[in-house]
Amino acid sequence: MTIQLEAPTPRRGRPPRHLADLGADERRAAVAELGLPSYRADQLSRHYFGRLTADPQDMTDLPGEMRAGLTSSLFPPLLTSARELSCDDGATHKTVWRLFDGALVESVLMRYPGRTTICVSSQAGCGMACPFCATGQAGLTRNMSTAEIVDQVVRGARAAGDGVLGDGPRRLGNVVFMGMGEPLANYNAVIGAVRRLTDPMPAGLGLSQRHVTVSTVGLVPAIERMIDEKLQVTLAVSLHAPDDELRDTLVPINTRWKVAEVLDAAWRYAESTARRVSIEYALIRDINDQADRAHALGKLLQGRLTHVNVIPLNPTPGSVWTASDPKIERQFVRILRDYGVSTTVRDTRGREIDAACGQLAAVARSGG
Ligand code: SAH
């Protein structure tokens, strides 16, 4: 399996332009192109980001003749639900989306006691080839557009508001870029999506930047670029091993940017944002769960502005790897905490519907 840093040439062109691809000024220009006054741009944005609708029929404050052309000009359908699955007593809901060209991606809504979170995809497939990750096995199909990413959140917010997760908080407040794809390998579209999600209404959805997490294998130049964006989003780094020898095999891009370089970039991000960087560590039985690796990780992280998320491995079909013994997992966590490193174990939401971390594989399983 080879690493694909760049998306292959798109086979069937780019996704159609959508309102969510455009910044506030571009939206006014697009509305002007349609021969409409610029205040209509804000009105359309309020429908989409505020009322969470892209259906011109719902936009009853617009003149009928204006509504007619809107679907093709600014609200082309980007995501068609191909499959919906719920589990965890309704607290987890996965949607498989078909994109305009037939590519499939997935997003997962999760209700927690005090918050609702959506896990979104940023690419159809992934080029990073991590051997324990289902998405990584299928390779990269293509980058998603800003609007394709944003629309997962808008559709998710709408579904949560309609009660798809049952009782509990209905307002979607948190977004994690932990679905399919390597967000920082699709940098411009992802940063555009982050801005759209966090710009205040009507420019965007108005979520707090602090409630957005971008997770990466550790593309160092992109982390550095992100520092310059001056965003307050949480950075998560998928480390999975404290040593280069093992990390070269678990996260193959490590052959390009080593553990020390990735962590250096992470600490620079932490310093410039004053935000804790999350370190993701999928714990794999007898592979990366040894006490000496916990000590090595503790030494790398102690004294840093960081938090470790230990993720019990979700075995992918055909994988010889499995999660660590619970005793070993507890020991791993205890050792890290002994170094003063804040550490928690991620719950294994969505396992029954293949919606847990690393299980998203719509493309492979549906032959799309
Ligand atoms: N490309 C990004 C987002 C990937 S998904 C990244 O690598 O950070 C989010 C997290 O799930 C990553 O830390 C990823 O390594 C982890 N993951 C992937 N497959 C997994 C599996 N089978 N079990 C547990 N965690 C997994």
Side-chain angles (χ1 to χ4, degrees), residues 167-183:
D167 295 336
R170 292 197 169 193
R171 207 190 80 81
L172 178 61
N174 299 268
V175 177
V176 296
F177 284 79
M178 294 188 182
M180 301 171 93
E182 166 50 41

Side-chain angles (χ1 to χ4, degrees), residues 227-261:
I227 293 172
D228 296 334
E229 306 282 347
K230 304 278 180 236
L231 290 165
Q232 280 290 303
V233 304
T234 299
L235 178 72
V237 173
S238 296
L239 200 65
H240 306 319
D243 53 299
D244 286 320
E245 194 183 351
L246 179 58
R247 194 168 191 266
D248 280 350
T249 67
L250 295 181
V251 186
I253 200 70
N254 195 70
T255 54
R256 179 94 169 262
W257 293 288
K258 298 291 173 193
V259 170
E261 294 172 84

Side-chain angles (χ1 to χ4, degrees), residues 305-319:
L305 195 55
T306 189
H307 174 89
V308 176
N309 275 313
V310 169
I311 316 171
L313 185 83
N314 288 304
T316 57
S319 165

Side-chain angles (χ1 to χ4, degrees), residues 28-192:
R28 277 191 283 277
V31 161
E33 269 169 40
L34 298 173
L36 298 168
S38 61
Y39 72 88
R40 295 289 187 197
D42 278 0
Q43 209 176 358
L44 293 173
S45 305
R46 279 183 215 283
H47 279 296
Y48 183 67
F49 289 114
R51 297 183 59 226
L52 308 173
T53 181
D55 181 354
Q57 297 314 314
D58 294 339
M59 306 180 187
T60 49
D61 55 347
L62 301 179
E65 69 276 16
M66 180 181 163
R67 278 189 256 161
L70 271 182
T71 297
S72 58
S73 59
L74 284 169
F75 295 113
L78 296 175
L79 308 178
T80 309
S81 168
R83 233 180 138 197
E84 313 249 343
L85 297 146
S86 283
C87 72
D88 303 322
D89 283 333
T92 306
H93 183 87
K94 173 170 98 165
T95 307
V96 181
W97 300 107
R98 180 170 292 109
L99 307 182
F100 86 104
D101 57 355
L104 298 174
V105 300
E106 304 182 1
S107 57
V108 185
L109 271 170
M110 289 161 286
R111 172 166 53 78
Y112 295 94
R115 68 194 148 96
T116 295
T117 298
I118 190 165
C119 177
V120 296
S121 297
S122 56
Q123 299 181 308
C126 184
M128 296 299 118
C130 302
F132 55 88
C133 174
T135 310
Q137 305 316 297
L140 180 62
T141 302
R142 70 164 168 89
N143 280 332
M144 294 176 73
S145 67
T146 290
E148 285 175 324
I149 298 168
V150 170
D151 205 39
Q152 293 170 75
V153 181
V154 169
R155 302 283 291 269
R158 171 110 195 209
D162 288 345
V164 77
L165 297 172
D167 295 336
R170 292 197 169 193
R171 207 190 80 81
L172 178 61
N174 299 268
V175 177
V176 296
F177 284 79
M178 294 188 182
M180 301 171 93
E182 166 50 41
L184 295 189
N186 184 16
Y187 187 88
N188 290 335
V190 165
I191 296 298

